[in-house]
Amino acid sequence: MSPLPEDLDLITIQRRLNTRIIGTILMRYERVASTNDIAKERARSGYPEGLTVLAEEQVAGRGRLGRSWVSSYGDALLLSVLLRPVWLPPGEAFSLTMMAGVALCEAVEQVASVRAQLKWPNDLLLFADGEWRKSAGILTEVSVADDTIEWAVVGIGVNVNQTPASAVNGRNLQQTATCVSAAAGRQISRSALLEALLAALDERYAQLQSGERGLLFADWRARLARLGEPVTVTLPGGELRGIAEDVAPDGTLLLRDAAGVLHMVHTGDVGF
Amino acid sequence: MSENERNRTESIEEEFGLSAVRELLRIISETDVSEISIERGTTRLHVKRGPSLHHHAPAPMFVTPSIAATVQPSAPPIGLVQAPVQTPPPATPAPEPDALPPGKIIAAPMVGTFYAAPSPKDPPYVQEGDIIHAGDRVGIIEAMKMMNEIESEFSGRVVKILVQNAQPVEYGQPLMVIEPLS
């Protein structure tokens, strides 16, 4: 086994962390299929919430629907956080998406001093090379049984110091993606970003648990890019074009097409 | 085991509980995890693959200042909730409840898009005629880039699957009928 990059030091990170739940257990791997898979396995074997799984390399990193997510060894932050929000009705699981997106923006803004936006519902957009580009993705997996959320695994992949230089899902990432350091114009400390992210998640999770969902929604909505502008949404069954008028309190994207019909979008990829 | 090592082990067990320590050692020995760090109260336990096992005694905490929540101007009221809203009709309308075969119903716990398999490349979780057990995964509902694994609360035979792959589903919409095995 080759030595792990030393810039992420769990002892130092945990000593500096002052979180209530998130990151109280940190597990670091060199190579995994995906950090979500490991965290889900741990969820099923009864691990407490807050467990955070880190890896340098994912051989089967995933986005939606089995799409791949690639990253550069030692230059990305790949993590999955286990949550057990049994107090959250499954119908409000979308709050977890909002929480993760907002926390990620806050951490990046704090550490890199750049503005961060979200592409609905929770892709991180940073301004680099003249446009807003994706530099992180979040995939949340939830297990619901008996009308209760048993566990949720929030998987986050951030391009920190390098933009992956490959074609994925038919798209050349260099043309659409960026990394935090490119937006900031300097190298970014992965460990500082990780600490800020775990702290922001902890704070936002506490806020959600205390019932302040309205505040979380307002912060999430304020970060959404392109509200009021034309977008194309790729749905499971085709494409929709229209104006992204707004989002409903449950996070649904409200898109008005050329015929004036308002569509409620729960699922889909937004393109500009 | 030296006196020193025994004391160390006992103190770890006291802080973390024997079963937790056993589980930790199992993970270290049976998986390829490189490093684990656990904090409980003021005590931290750090295990790194290799010969060394460090128990970190309580140490002064280096407290990172908590992140000040970014203050956003409060969002204007949405005001769209009352707007006429059209949803694309489900590909297959949910049959009337009385049209369902007898059995236990697995219903959608949320609004979203139903997927029968974890990815387009994979076979469906269940097919009609399959025997399933309580806790088995039967599908995924996606909403807002969140994949919700749906588990069956019942054991039995899948007699009818009422939704198609990639179909929008409503809250409470019946997804499948399970016939309990006698």
Side-chain angles (χ1 to χ4, degrees), chain A residues 14 16 47 64 123 138 142, chain B residues 27 37 64 142 145 149:
Chain A
Q14 200 145 57
R16 291 169 55 97
Y47 265 77
R64 289 180 60 236
D123 283 345
I138 302 174
V142 177
Chain B
I27 286 183
S37 179
T64 32
E142 179 187 10
K145 219 168 100 178
E149 294 184 351

Side-chain angles (χ1 to χ4, degrees), chain A residues 134-238:
Chain A
K134 178 169 171 174
S135 65
I138 302 174
L139 182 77
T140 304
E141 297 184 71
V142 177
S143 178
V144 178
D146 216 354
D147 216 29
T148 303
I149 299 178
E150 282 186 311
W151 50 258
V153 165
V154 180
I156 304 176
V158 190
N159 301 331
V160 182
N161 285 316
Q162 191 164 328
T163 307
S166 50
V168 172
N169 309 319
R171 289 175 292 188
N172 183 342
L173 289 178
Q174 293 280 347
Q175 288 167 8
T176 57
T178 190
C179 58
V180 183
S181 67
R186 59 181 165 91
Q187 284 284 108
I188 296 298
S189 152
R190 289 198 304 161
S191 110
L193 185 56
L194 177 63
E195 285 165 31
L197 179 56
L198 297 178
L201 283 169
D202 198 65
E203 196 168 301
R204 289 294 183 169
Y205 190 58
Q207 182 183 49
L208 186 60
Q209 188 164 12
S210 70
E212 293 181 74
R213 293 173 208 168
L215 201 57
L216 181 62
F217 169 74
D219 288 349
W220 173 74
R221 181 179 176 278
R223 289 193 178 274
L224 290 177
R226 305 291 177 120
L227 281 190
E229 295 177 33
V231 298
T232 302
V233 183
T234 310
L235 303 169

Side-chain angles (χ1 to χ4, degrees), chain B residues 4-54:
Chain B
N4 211 11
E5 280 170 329
R6 188 159 51 242
N7 286 344
R8 188 173 63 188
T9 309
E10 278 166 8
S11 106
I12 293 172
E13 286 169 6
E14 213 166 277
E15 288 286 345
F16 290 91
L18 183 57
S19 61
V21 173
R22 280 195 182 132
E23 170 68 6
L24 195 64
L25 294 175
R26 190 192 67 76
I27 286 183
I28 281 283
S29 58
E30 293 174 16
T31 71
D32 53 0
V33 68
S34 303
E35 209 175 345
I36 301 180
S37 179
I38 300 181
E39 181 180 304
R40 191 156 297 177
T42 52
T43 307
R44 280 180 291 270
L45 177 67
H46 182 253
V47 183
K48 201 166 186 172
R49 184 176 281 277
S52 62
L53 175 72
H54 303 291

